[in-house]
């Protein structure tokens, strides 16, 4: 028995703009016995708030856990900017799949309040996997002065480690959409781990068409769900020269739950550009030679083959969907 199993599953919240790989990250929280997903909090990002909520319900259904983990609706727009869509990348975020929505519910508690309450109920224990713009996290830290201290660890998908952006040359989408939130979060004193877009995701979390075909052959409803939801983003990725589907959000959940996937990381001083239009949302990651106090651990290398094997194993699970999934 590993130390983790002896300690029990990891209590966590996934703060998400649910589309495509966010759905895969949710599957990790919902299906991996090493994870104890307490709540899903929704934030404005990828594909429009209401569609994201549909995608989260759909994913709960695909995992056979509809109604078991609450969805809390959080901030419907960035702190000070207009929302920026990524529908050109993700379509509706679910490959056109849907379920009968009759009787589906979301929690009456706001996402920010759920984050604050669950952190306060488990001081130092709760992990947050933040895989969308950081609006909910920034709002929670403004609302509750104890929030930063109560959160055990904050895993953030965002930025690039002195590399390329994706929505602009300079910026990765999550930080671009709400740069003020990202800046506030990195200045707040959380115990932060960052999973960046470039180079980490682009090198270690891209699944080629050959690998995706092997996943499709698994033949479970979960594998069919996965294959379908990644299709639109795969086409976009290939159109911009990336040789496969990208999985930054599921990588973020995976390295939290399975730190053995982690091969290399370093401490950095991370700050986010908010003043410039040209470099809005750029993440400056200073690697220790500029006399700046580190505020985050940035993941530099993961076991890419191990990550793919992990996702395949997850999708091998013979889960029966909670509701029939239209379009599968
Ligand atoms: C990030 O932006 C979103 O489109 C993805 O879900 C991921 O969180 C990658 O830049
Ligand atoms: Ca996301």
């Amino acid at each position: 028995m590993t130390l983790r199993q002896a300690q029990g599953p990891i209590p966590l919240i996934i703060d998400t703009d649910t589309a495509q790989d966010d759905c895969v990250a949710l599957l990790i929280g919902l299906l991996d016995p090493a994870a104890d997903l307490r709540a899903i909090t929704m934030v404005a990002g990828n594909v429009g708030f209401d569609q994201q909520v549909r995608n989260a319900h759909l994913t709960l259904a695909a995992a056979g856990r509809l109604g078991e983990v609450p969805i809390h609706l959080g901030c419907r727009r960035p702190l000070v900017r207009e929302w920026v869509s990524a529908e050109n990348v993700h379509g509706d975020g679910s490959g056109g799949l849907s379920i009968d929505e009759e009787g589906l519910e979301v929690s009456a508690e706001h996402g920010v309040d759920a984050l604050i309450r669950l952190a306060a109920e488990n001081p130092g224990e709760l992990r947050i996997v933040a895989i969308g713009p950081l609006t909910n996290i920034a709002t929670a830290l403004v609302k509750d002065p104890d929030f930063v201290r109560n959160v055990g660890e904050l895993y953030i998908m965002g930025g690039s480690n002195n590399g390329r952006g994706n929505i602009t040359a300079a910026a990765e989408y999550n930080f671009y959409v709400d740069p003020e939130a990202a800046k506030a979060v990195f200045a707040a004193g959380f115990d932060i781990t960052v999973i960046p877009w470039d180079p980490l995701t682009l090198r270690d979390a891209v699944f080629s068409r050959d690998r995706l075909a092997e996943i499709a052959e698994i033949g479970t409803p979960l594998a069919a769900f996965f294959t379908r939801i990644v299709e639109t983003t795969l086409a976009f990725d290939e159109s911009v020269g990336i040789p496969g589907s990208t999985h930054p959000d599921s990588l973020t959940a995976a390295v939290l739950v399975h730190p053995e996937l982690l091969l290399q990381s370093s401490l950095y001083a991370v700050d986010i550009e908010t003043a410039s239009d040209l470099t809005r949302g750029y993440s400056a990651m200073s690697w220790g030679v500029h006399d700046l106090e580190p505020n985050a651990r940035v993941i530099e290398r993961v076991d890419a083959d191990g990550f793919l094997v992990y996702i395949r194993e997850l999708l091998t699970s013979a889960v029966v969907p909670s509701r029939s999934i239209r379009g599968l």
Side-chain angles (χ1 to χ4, degrees), residues 15-23 25 43 45-46 90 130-133 157 172-174 248-249:
D15 187 70
T16 168
D17 55 342
T18 315
Q20 197 255 353
D21 196 42
D22 290 77
C23 302
V43 68
N46 282 325
H90 300 300
I131 52 177
M157 190 284 125
E172 177 281 329
Y173 176 79
N174 289 339
D249 298 332

Side-chain angles (χ1 to χ4, degrees), residues 15-23 45-47 85-87 89-90 130-133 157-160 165-167 171-175 177 195-197 201 233 246-250 252:
D15 187 70
T16 168
D17 55 342
T18 315
Q20 197 255 353
D21 196 42
D22 290 77
C23 302
N46 282 325
V47 295
S85 160
E87 286 154 308
V89 177
H90 300 300
I131 52 177
M157 190 284 125
S160 284
N166 49 21
I167 189 164
E172 177 281 329
Y173 176 79
N174 289 339
F175 290 179
V177 170
I195 284 70
W197 177 255
T201 299
T233 314
T246 46
H247 297 277
D249 298 332
S250 51
T252 306

Side-chain angles (χ1 to χ4, degrees), residues 148-166:
V148 173
R149 195 172 54 244
N150 287 339
V151 171
E153 289 179 277
L154 176 59
Y155 277 59
I156 295 173
M157 190 284 125
S160 284
N161 186 354
N162 302 300
R164 291 184 177 199
N166 49 21

